[in-house]
């Protein structure tokens, strides 16, 4: 038979404290803790319905002072004058200068071989010489005809003088009674005929002169047209000699050596090292505010350069507008083509305005409301904001100088009227 453990057990007497008293004491302790928590969270009568750790938000102080509305942009250094040279005629290219090689104005950079153009020039030059000879021959023929007409005029003049003398003798003979009236009438007719022949000869000579002048003028016009054709071909032939338009250095080859190029095809670039500009990329939503003359500050290699917008591109590419900045003064030796830089475009400057640091509260609050901080209680306050710069935002109404404002994102505040910052 297995024995139990009754002999090893020790009897324990129960507590004599009434159980209701213990429960009352525990309830009092819990109530006290709750009252202390309520006093800690909602002291001062503030009825905040949401608590957010203070380190999760950013606080800014409203101040009064100068306000500059600006825009931070990125860009690069570019040569103010970097022309691209194009082919004027199809042919085979021979590049004579390497990229980066220094060149002087007028240096020969490349040559395009175009046998077709050279042959056409020779043909038109031969045609010009032939036309010159033909005009000279036509001029000689016209002068020969003019001489023939002048000879006819001289003969008619002599005949007129002879008829005039014959008429005079006939009149004298009629007065002496040795000549009939019929013979006098015949002399008058011959005189009239000679007058008509002489007048006709004079008109023919004048017509020959006019014809000669016309032929000369027409021939000269045809010759001038042909001279223009030859001059244009010679210009195209000379344009096959690609020369440096500025003093600087060769940029990049746009074609390969000994390639066949087409008319109007880009060949190479030449960079003028004497003057640089900055090319900035500006978001398209600021394009309407860009204008020539706006002040620009450019930060490059730890130095600040002052400049102004010289011109703005009329088109938008990939959401950006290109703008050029002309420096007021610069050290050309410290600048390099395509060197990266950062800039600040100054749109306007104001004095004695209320401002607060820029933050995400602008977009998250719609620019119409903000949370003003008083004794760790952030109260939703309607505000009116003005211009926005890189660092500041202008305050038009709703706040006073010295007010503290939550400038971080307001989405965590859940549009509550009051929020305690713990």
């Amino acid at each position: 038979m297995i024995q139990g453990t009754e002999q090893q057990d020790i009897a324990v007497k129960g507590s004599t404290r009434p159980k209701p008293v213990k429960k009352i004491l525990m309830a009092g302790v819990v109530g006290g803790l709750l009252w202390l928590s309520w006093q800690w969270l909602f002291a001062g009568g503030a009825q905040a319905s949401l608590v957010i750790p203070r380190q999760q938000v950013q606080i800014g102080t409203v101040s009064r002072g100068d306000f500059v509305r600006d825009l931070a942009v990125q860009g690069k250094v570019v040569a103010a004058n970097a022309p691209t040279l194009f082919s004027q005629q199809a042919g085979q290219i021979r590049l004579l200068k390497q990229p980066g090689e220094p060149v002087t104005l007028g240096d020969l950079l490349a040559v395009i071989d175009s046998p077709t153009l050279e042959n056409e020039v020779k043909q038109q030059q031969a045609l010009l010489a032939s036309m010159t000879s033909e005009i000279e021959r036509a001029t000689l023929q016209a002068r020969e005809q003019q001489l023939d007409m002048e000879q006819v005029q001289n003969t008619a003049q002599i005949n007129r003088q002879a008829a005039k003398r014959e008429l005079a003798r006939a009149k004298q003979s009629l007065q002496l009674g040795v000549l009939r009236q019929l013979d006098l009438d015949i002399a008058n007719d011959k005189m009239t005929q000679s007058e008509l022949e002489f007048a006709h000869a004079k008109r023919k000579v004048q017509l020959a002169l006019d014809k000669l002048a016309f032929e000369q003028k027409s021939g000269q016009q045809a010759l001038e047209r042909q001279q223009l054709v030859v001059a244009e071909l010679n210009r195209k032939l000379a344009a096959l000699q690609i020369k440096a338009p500025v003093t600087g250095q060769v940029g990049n080859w746009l074609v390969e050596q000994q390639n066949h190029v087409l008319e109007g095809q880009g060949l190479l670039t030449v960079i003028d090292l004497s003057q640089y500009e900055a090319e900035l990329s500006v978001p398209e939503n600021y394009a309407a505010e860009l204008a020539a003359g706006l002040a620009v500050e450019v930060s490059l290699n730890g130095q600040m350069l002052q400049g102004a917008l010289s011109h703005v591109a009329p088109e938008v590419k990939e959401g950006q507008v290109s703008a050029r900045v002309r420096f007021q003064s610069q050290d050309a030796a410290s600048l390099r083509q395509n060197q990266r830089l950062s800039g600040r475009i100054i749109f306007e400057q104001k004095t004695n305005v209320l401002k607060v640091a820029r933050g995400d509260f602008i977009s998250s609050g719609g620019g119409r409301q903000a949370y003003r901080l008083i004794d760790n209680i952030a109260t939703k306050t309607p505000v009116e904001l003005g211009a926005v710069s890189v660092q500041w935002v202008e305050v038009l109404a709703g706040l006073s100088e010295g007010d503290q404002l939550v400038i971080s994102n307001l989405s965590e505040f859940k549009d509550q009227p009051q929020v305690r910052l713990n």
Side-chain angles (χ1 to χ4, degrees), residues 243-295:
K243 298 181 179 180
V246 295
T247 298
Q249 70 179 24
V250 178
N252 296 319
W253 285 358
L254 305 181
V255 294
E256 296 295 331
Q257 183 72 275
Q258 297 296 331
N259 269 13
H260 182 81
V261 297
L262 302 177
E263 182 178 357
Q265 183 175 352
L267 303 177
L268 53 91
T269 59
V270 180
I271 302 173
D272 183 1
L273 301 178
S274 63
Q275 183 69 28
Y276 282 102
E277 291 183 351
E279 184 178 74
L280 305 179
S281 297
V282 183
E284 62 177 318
N285 53 324
Y286 290 93
E289 300 185 65
L290 297 178
L294 287 178

Side-chain angles (χ1 to χ4, degrees), residues 37-54:
S37 299
W38 184 88
Q39 288 293 327
W40 178 62
L41 292 174
F42 305 107
Q47 299 299 320
S49 57
L50 183 64
V51 179
I52 295 178
R54 188 184 181 95

Side-chain angles (χ1 to χ4, degrees), residues 126-388:
L127 180 58
L128 177 62
S130 175
M131 291 179 63
T132 303
S133 299
E134 183 64 25
I135 290 174
E136 292 176 353
R137 183 187 63 79
T139 301
L140 291 176
Q141 288 182 349
R143 290 179 61 188
E144 183 179 5
Q145 292 177 0
Q146 180 185 357
L147 289 176
D148 292 340
M149 294 300 101
E150 290 177 352
Q151 183 179 5
V152 172
Q153 179 183 358
N154 294 334
T155 301
Q157 185 177 8
I158 293 173
N159 291 337
R160 184 166 77 73
Q161 291 176 353
K164 184 183 294 185
R165 287 192 298 269
E166 183 66 25
L167 178 60
R169 284 194 298 268
K171 288 180 179 180
Q172 292 177 358
S173 299
L174 182 62
Q175 291 176 356
L176 296 175
V178 295
L179 187 68
R180 298 175 302 173
Q181 181 65 38
L182 178 61
D183 295 330
L184 179 60
D185 293 338
I186 294 174
N188 280 324
D189 293 341
K190 289 183 178 180
M191 180 63 190
T192 303
Q193 181 180 2
S194 63
E195 290 283 354
L196 293 174
E197 290 177 351
F198 178 67
H200 183 68
K202 287 177 62 177
R203 288 196 298 271
K204 291 188 69 174
V205 170
Q206 185 60 45
L207 180 60
L209 291 174
D210 293 343
K211 183 179 180 181
L212 175 61
F214 174 77
E215 292 293 340
Q216 289 178 339
K217 182 179 179 180
S218 178
Q220 187 63 31
Q221 290 175 346
L223 186 63
E224 290 176 355
R225 285 195 298 270
Q226 185 60 26
Q227 288 174 344
L228 291 176
V229 172
V230 173
E232 176 62 17
L233 290 175
N234 284 329
R235 184 195 65 79
K236 290 183 177 181
L237 190 62
L240 298 182
Q241 309 288 319
I242 310 298
K243 298 181 179 180
V246 295
T247 298
Q249 70 179 24
V250 178
N252 296 319
W253 285 358
L254 305 181
V255 294
E256 296 295 331
Q257 183 72 275
Q258 297 296 331
N259 269 13
H260 182 81
V261 297
L262 302 177
E263 182 178 357
Q265 183 175 352
L267 303 177
L268 53 91
T269 59
V270 180
I271 302 173
D272 183 1
L273 301 178
S274 63
Q275 183 69 28
Y276 282 102
E277 291 183 351
E279 184 178 74
L280 305 179
S281 297
V282 183
E284 62 177 318
N285 53 324
Y286 290 93
E289 300 185 65
L290 297 178
L294 287 178
V296 179
E297 293 181 354
V298 174
S299 177
L300 179 66
N301 293 335
Q303 61 176 335
M304 190 67 66
L305 300 177
Q306 302 296 326
L309 288 183
S310 58
H311 64 272
V312 181
E315 61 179 346
V316 178
K317 291 184 177 180
E318 298 179 355
Q320 301 288 323
V321 176
S322 177
R324 284 289 186 98
V325 177
R326 184 169 297 160
F327 297 113
Q328 296 177 358
S329 61
Q330 64 172 336
D331 180 9
S334 65
L335 301 179
R336 294 291 183 269
Q337 179 81 350
N338 293 325
Q339 192 173 8
R340 304 302 302 178
L341 54 84
S342 59
R344 188 168 70 101
I345 302 176
I346 301 175
F347 292 107
E348 61 178 330
Q349 296 181 354
K350 298 180 180 181
T351 59
N352 194 27
V353 298
L354 285 178
K355 61 182 180 178
V356 69
R358 179 176 177 176
D360 292 338
F361 80 100
I362 302 175
S363 57
S364 58
R368 296 184 300 273
Q369 65 180 17
Y371 280 84
R372 184 173 57 177
L373 184 63
I374 300 177
D375 295 334
N376 294 328
I377 298 297
T379 304
K380 186 167 66 172
T381 304
V383 296
E384 183 179 353
L385 304 180
V388 179

